[in-house]
């Protein structure tokens, strides 16, 4: 086994954990369920002499009548510092007018807490609180598992254990494998939202870990200002491109791609004002290997330029999507949960084939369940027949793929149910790829599993494009963006070899 280096992130509690442990009053919740306390700043100085400590993850403990410090923290938050929170002591609360003045900082995530204890007692109790791993802190549990996995001598471990012939890829192993493969790929990914704080931090992380080379489309002054506010060190090889300096060079190539749709130079120039369109043109011109966007843009904003300028890959009838669902003991694939509203049998077969190939690319053995409200021959109707025909088409077009359908979800996922409903199926009870019959079913199911079961989902990852473009949730965390960049880099390797 390897040694385990110290990492503060492993013991960083959420602000909500501090609130629960010390029974603090919450004046403004902010993002206390997600932000973590990485260090404590007990303030008694004037504003100029305490600014050094306003770093991401700082819990600022200050007497409740120091409204100057509260205002400074609110400004730091608005400048991208992502403080953990401000804890007011002595039972004192800010003036109502000052509270309103700081409202935008609270809306962007700054938590405001209060306690009747004095400042010294408060800081002492926070410093001495139990930082053990709570059962409901799934993000820290996952990070701890990944951290441990990354320092385990896997070869030595496997030499000393019996490995089952059918292995499940755990969430920690999936993400570790993903990062390792992305490092080998060595791809360049353009990030049109280059001055978005989470995106900038993710880009720095990708360079630090060697996951990918990132290109930020943003004003350099804005990026450097954000980096300073978030106490980030910009990697020397992180490329920052001012969009205004390069837009003109893509007007003619874009017109050439869309002339058949009536695109003129003036129209192209106007569309290229959108950085997502600009980044997509860079991808179309082979200047980068992939694109990731969506932290502040809608899915349509990200996908539409790709459909218009990148287009579908040879042999693909459509563009679809998958989510990698990180269940407690394995990672499975859900498709299509983001793009196609009501695919016919041919389109559904294409989605299944794309999803199986995506599973294989990321180390998941594809066993494809074509889902329906009926299992086998037990049900009739147009919806069931569509799934049955799609299953037949998959078998015909790709006999190498293990597929079965129609299957109900419980029969596909649960071995005991499978023994009753589909005893002769080679997929039922052990499916790893779940193909939903329509977008309504798929999107509803993935969100229900994600939220109700507390499952981490990675995606949507787009399939069927000539070159990889991937969308982010607008609520994406930094780690979500990092893994999406890694996925995009690995897809680019498949496109290059294919």
């Amino acid at each position: 086994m390897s040694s385990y280096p110290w990492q503060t992130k492993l013991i960083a509690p959420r602000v909500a954990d501090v609130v629960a442990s010390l029974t603090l009053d919450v004046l403004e919740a902010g993002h206390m369920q997600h932000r973590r306390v990485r260090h404590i700043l007990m303030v008694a100085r004037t504003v100029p002499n305490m600014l050094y400590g306003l770093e991401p993850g700082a819990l600022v403990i200050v007497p409740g009548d120091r409204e100057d410090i509260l205002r400074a923290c609110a400004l730091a938050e608005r400048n991208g510092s992502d403080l953990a929170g401000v804890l007011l002591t002595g039972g004192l609360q800010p003036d109502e007018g000052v509270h309103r003045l700081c409202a935008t900082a609270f809306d962007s995530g700054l938590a405001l807490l209060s306690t009747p204890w004095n400042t010294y007692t408060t800081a002492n109790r926070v410093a001495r609180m139990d930082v053990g791993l709570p059962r409901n802190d799934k993000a820290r549990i996952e990070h701890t598992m990944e951290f441990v996995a990354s320092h385990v001598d896997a070869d030595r471990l496997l030499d000393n254990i019996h490995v089952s012939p059918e292995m499940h890829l755990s969430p920690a192993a999936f993400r570790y494998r993903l990062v390792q493969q992305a490092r080998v790929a060595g791809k360049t990914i353009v990030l049109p939202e280059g001055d978005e704080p989470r995106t900038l931090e993710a880009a720095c992380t990708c360079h630090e870990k060697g996951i990918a080379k990132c290109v930020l489309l943003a004003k350099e002054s804005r990026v450097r200002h954000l980096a300073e506010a978030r106490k980030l060190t910009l990697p020397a090889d992180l490329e920052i491109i001012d969009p205004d300096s390069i837009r003109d060079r893509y007007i003619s190539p874009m017109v050439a791609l869309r002339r058949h749709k009536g695109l003129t130079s003036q129209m192209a120039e106007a569309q290229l004002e959108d950085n997502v369109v600009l980044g997509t043109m860079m991808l179309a011109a082979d200047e980068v290997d992939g694109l990731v966007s969506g932290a502040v843009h809608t899915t349509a904003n990200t996908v539409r330029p790709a459909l218009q300028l990148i287009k579908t890959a040879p042999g693909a009838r459509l563009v679809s999507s998958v989510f990698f669902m990180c269940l407690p003991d394995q990672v499975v694939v859900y498709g299509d949960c983001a793009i196609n509203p009501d695919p016919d049998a041919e389109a559904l077969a294409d989605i299944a084939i794309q999803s199986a190939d995506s599973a294989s690319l990321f180390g998941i053995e594809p066993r494809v369940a074509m889902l329906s409200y009926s299992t086998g021959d037990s049900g009739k109707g147009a919806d069931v027949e569509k799934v049955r025909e799609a299953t037949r088409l998959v078998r015909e077009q790709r006999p190498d793929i293990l597929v079965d359908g129609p299957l109900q979800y419980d029969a596909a996922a649960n071995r005991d149910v499978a023994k009753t409903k589909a005893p002769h199926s080679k997929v039922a009870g052990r499916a790893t790829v779940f193909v939903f019959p329509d977008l309504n079913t798929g999107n509803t199911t993935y969100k229900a599993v994600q939220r109700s079961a507390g499952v981490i989902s990675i995606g949507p990852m787009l399939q069927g494009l000539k070159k990889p473009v991937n969308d982010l949730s607008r609520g994406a965390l930094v780690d979500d963006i990092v893994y999406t960049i890694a996925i995009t880099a690995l897809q680019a390797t498949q496109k290059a070899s294919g």
Side-chain angles (χ1 to χ4, degrees):
M1 300 295 175
S2 304
S3 61
Y4 294 89
W6 175 262
Q7 188 176 95
T8 304
K9 187 176 180 179
L10 294 179
I11 61 166
R14 298 164 297 189
V15 177
D17 298 328
V18 179
V19 170
S21 178
L22 304 182
T23 320
L24 304 176
D25 294 324
V26 179
L27 306 181
E28 295 286 350
H31 293 165
M32 71 178 196
Q33 295 293 341
H34 303 291
R35 291 197 183 177
R36 298 186 179 275
V37 179
R38 304 194 188 284
H39 65 275
I40 301 167
L41 180 64
M42 186 174 71
V43 177
R45 301 178 179 182
T46 59
V47 170
N49 294 317
M50 55 77 68
L51 293 177
Y52 70 91
L54 296 184
E55 302 177 357
L59 178 63
V60 181
I61 301 176
V62 61
D65 58 357
R66 289 294 303 275
E67 294 172 338
D68 57 330
I69 302 299
L70 175 58
R71 292 196 299 271
C73 292
L75 283 172
E77 169 69 28
R78 294 301 294 151
N79 283 329
S81 287
D82 280 6
L83 304 177
V86 178
L87 175 49
L88 304 177
T89 64
L92 302 170
Q93 297 185 13
D95 174 78
E96 185 178 340
V98 173
H99 196 123
R100 286 199 303 270
L101 190 66
C102 300
T104 55
F106 303 139
D107 291 341
S108 71
L110 182 66
L112 183 62
L113 314 172
S114 177
T115 179
W117 305 325
N118 64 45
T119 303
Y120 173 79
T121 301
T122 300
N124 190 40
R125 292 192 179 190
V126 172
R128 296 176 62 183
M129 69 170 280
D130 183 5
V131 292
L133 192 56
R135 290 183 179 180
N136 66 350
D137 191 348
K138 296 185 181 298
R140 190 151 66 118
I141 291 171
E142 290 288 342
H143 180 73
T144 301
M145 293 170 63
E146 290 168 19
F147 181 78
V148 172
S150 67
H151 291 84
V152 169
D153 185 342
D155 293 335
R156 181 180 173 188
L157 182 63
L158 289 173
D159 285 341
N160 287 277
I161 63 173
H162 171 71
V163 181
S164 169
E166 183 178 312
M167 295 182 64
H168 287 169
L169 191 63
S170 71
F174 173 77
R175 285 195 283 266
Y176 175 69
R177 178 190 178 114
L178 177 58
V179 168
Q180 295 303 109
Q181 290 179 313
R183 284 174 176 166
V184 174
K187 298 300 181 180
T188 299
I189 308 300
V190 64
L191 306 174
E193 302 161 326
D195 57 1
E196 195 280 322
R198 293 163 294 164
T199 301
L200 174 59
E201 188 171 342
C204 292
T205 299
C206 286
H207 278 251
E208 177 188 334
K209 295 184 176 181
I211 292 172
K213 179 182 178 183
C214 296
V215 178
L216 304 180
L217 295 184
K219 298 285 186 182
E220 185 171 348
S221 59
R222 171 63 178 163
V223 172
R224 294 196 177 280
H225 176 75
L226 273 174
E228 183 179 352
R230 296 176 74 88
K231 298 297 186 290
L232 297 173
T233 300
L234 294 178
D237 57 344
L238 178 61
E239 189 173 1
I240 305 169
I241 298 178
D242 182 349
D244 293 337
S245 69
I246 63 169
R247 295 190 205 279
D248 289 350
R249 77 171 71 156
Y250 297 101
I251 294 176
S252 293
M254 186 170 173
V255 170
L257 286 172
R258 300 283 292 168
R259 183 178 286 113
H260 66 289
K261 291 292 186 179
L263 187 74
T264 65
S265 296
Q266 292 77 14
M267 294 165 64
E269 183 178 9
Q271 290 181 27
L272 284 165
E273 289 296 318
D274 183 338
N275 284 355
V276 178
V277 176
L278 179 61
T280 305
M281 278 304 303
M282 294 174 67
L283 179 58
D286 291 327
E287 296 173 1
V288 295
D289 301 304
L291 179 148
V292 172
S293 181
V296 293
H297 288 85
T298 65
T299 296
N301 288 144
T302 299
V303 175
R304 188 183 301 111
L307 293 174
Q308 294 174 343
L309 302 170
I310 303 299
K311 305 186 185 301
T312 56
R317 296 181 69 252
L318 46 71
V319 173
S320 65
S321 71
V322 290
F323 282 88
F324 296 95
M325 305 297 291
C326 299
L327 305 179
D329 61 348
Q330 71 174 127
V331 177
V332 297
V333 174
Y334 281 9
D336 170 16
C337 303
I339 303 295
N340 297 284
D342 189 18
D344 59 19
E346 289 77 12
L348 197 59
D350 206 32
I351 292 169
I353 291 170
Q354 291 178 2
S355 301
D357 288 341
S358 292
S360 294
L361 177 64
F362 292 95
I364 300 169
E365 183 181 350
R367 295 186 289 272
V368 182
M370 307 295 286
L371 299 177
S372 178
Y373 60 78
S374 169
T375 294
D377 297 323
S378 64
K380 303 294 182 183
D383 291 337
V384 178
E385 291 306 318
K386 178 180 77 170
V387 174
R388 185 171 289 116
E389 174 63 10
T391 305
R392 186 191 69 78
L393 290 171
V394 174
R395 289 171 175 160
E396 179 182 280
Q397 296 169 24
R398 288 287 300 276
D400 59 305
I401 294 176
L402 187 59
V403 61
D404 199 3
L407 290 171
Q408 291 166 287
Y409 191 98
D410 58 351
N414 186 282
R415 287 180 181 271
D416 291 335
V417 176
K419 289 177 182 177
T420 302
K421 292 188 174 183
H424 304 298
S425 173
K426 295 181 179 179
V427 172
R430 50 200 292 267
T432 56
V433 179
F434 297 78
V435 178
F436 294 90
D438 53 57
L439 184 58
N440 184 49
T441 307
N443 191 268
T444 301
T445 303
Y446 114 76
K447 287 186 176 178
V449 172
Q450 179 190 40
R451 299 301 180 186
S452 299
V455 167
I456 296 173
S457 64
I458 301 175
M461 185 189 86
L462 302 185
Q463 312 171 125
L465 287 167
K466 287 182 181 176
K467 298 175 183 179
V469 172
N470 281 311
D471 182 40
L472 297 165
S473 163
R474 275 168 284 176
L477 303 177
V478 172
D479 282 350
D480 298 331
I481 301 174
V482 169
Y483 288 120
T484 302
I485 292 171
I487 281 174
T488 308
L490 198 52
Q491 279 184 292
T493 302
Q494 181 193 42
K495 302 294 183 186
S497 62

